[in-house]
Amino acid sequence: MKIGLAQRRVLRGIAFLSVLWPICSAVIASDAQTYQTAAAVAVSKLDFERAIQIYSKGLEQQFSPKDRAELLLMRGVTAQLAKSWDQAEADFNAVVEMVGSTDRRAYSERGFFYHHQSRFELALADYTAGAKLFSDDGTFPNGQGLALMELGQSEEAIHRFDEAIKLDPTSGVFMLGRAEAYNRSHRPQTALEDYDKALALGHLTQNDTYRLRVGVGAAHLTLKNEKAAIESLDKAVELRPNSGPEISRASLRTGRRA
């Protein structure tokens, strides 16, 4: 699941890059965008090893610092997809060193990497650094909230989600995070209100919707609304048919006290 989430982040730009591929030379030219395009095509075919080789070849060229940082960033994301954890971390560290103060993706991608490695304190540190540098971007307080929840600090997480929602009131994902934090702080009714808002706002991925259905089920279980709980958990199973045991664990975890 973790890799699936990361993969969607990479694949968002692949459709556009793949369109460019037919006009590229059969031999990779010494142009940074051409390396990016060729690597994106390899990723679209799930050939992560080939993509990493292409990014590495590009990094041997005399490109500008900005182009090098872009190649490193995308090689890091691809290495994460390939489960080459050391390579991914080294690349993300290099990107933060190079452009962390000017490119918001540097801290957000490394924070995402740490979070999905269950290294929540490091994730929180990166999201906090990003929040200070890019105070207009709700991604960072949202990331802080997610990390704080995993560290058992649900009340503080709610404050961070409040900040994220203030920056972008139309984000269903930010609302979903706050709903989960309310669930973990044992406020199921308030959680249900936020889950409803998140669903109404929309723009949720299938994984987000799965999280929402499990969370709604957990909240209803806490409120002893067994029929509503079963209905929501059944919808979660429809989204992920093999998730029966996982739902049992997740619903208990989501509804636990902070």
Side-chain angles (χ1 to χ4, degrees), residues 210 214 242-256:
Y210 171 80
V214 172
N242 297 321
S243 60
E246 180 181 334
I247 283 181
S248 297
R249 291 192 298 272
S251 59
L252 289 172
R253 183 168 176 270
T254 305
R256 74 186 180 193

Side-chain angles (χ1 to χ4, degrees), residues 60 76 83 101 117 186:
E60 295 174 3
K83 300 183 180 180
S101 62
Q117 286 278 298
H186 208 64

Side-chain angles (χ1 to χ4, degrees), residues 131-194:
K132 290 177 181 177
L133 288 165
F134 309 102
S135 58
D136 62 335
D137 190 341
T139 299
F140 293 108
N142 181 70
Q144 288 176 301
L146 293 172
L148 285 163
M149 278 200 299
E150 298 296 343
L151 292 169
Q153 301 177 47
S154 297
E155 290 299 327
E156 185 60 30
I158 290 169
H159 294 314
R160 299 287 81 79
F161 288 125
D162 285 344
E163 292 177 12
I165 292 166
K166 185 179 295 185
L167 288 167
D168 185 359
T170 67
S171 173
V173 173
F174 297 169
M175 193 68 68
L176 172 61
R178 192 173 70 177
E180 290 175 329
Y182 278 131
N183 237 352
R184 293 199 189 192
S185 63
H186 208 64
R187 283 180 269 179
Q189 189 58 55
T190 307
L192 287 173
E193 292 169 7
D194 269 5

Side-chain angles (χ1 to χ4, degrees), residues 19-48:
V19 170
L20 299 178
W21 179 244
I23 67 174
C24 294
S25 169
V27 178
I28 297 176
S30 58
D31 171 77
Q33 184 59 60
T34 304
Y35 284 96
Q36 291 281 11
T37 303
V41 171
V43 171
S44 73
K45 297 176 180 178
L46 305 184
D47 190 350
F48 304 133

Side-chain angles (χ1 to χ4, degrees), residues 194-244:
D194 269 5
Y195 283 126
D196 284 345
K197 292 175 185 176
L199 196 59
L201 287 167
H203 303 291
L204 301 175
T205 66
Q206 181 172 321
N207 184 72
D208 294 331
T209 306
Y210 171 80
R211 285 168 52 199
L212 184 146
R213 294 302 183 190
V214 172
V216 168
H220 279 303
L221 281 175
T222 301
L223 293 169
K224 303 189 185 307
N225 300 329
E226 293 186 3
K227 182 179 179 181
I230 292 171
E231 287 177 357
S232 188
L233 294 174
D234 281 347
K235 290 178 181 177
V237 171
E238 289 174 8
L239 292 167
R240 196 179 295 175
N242 297 321
S243 60

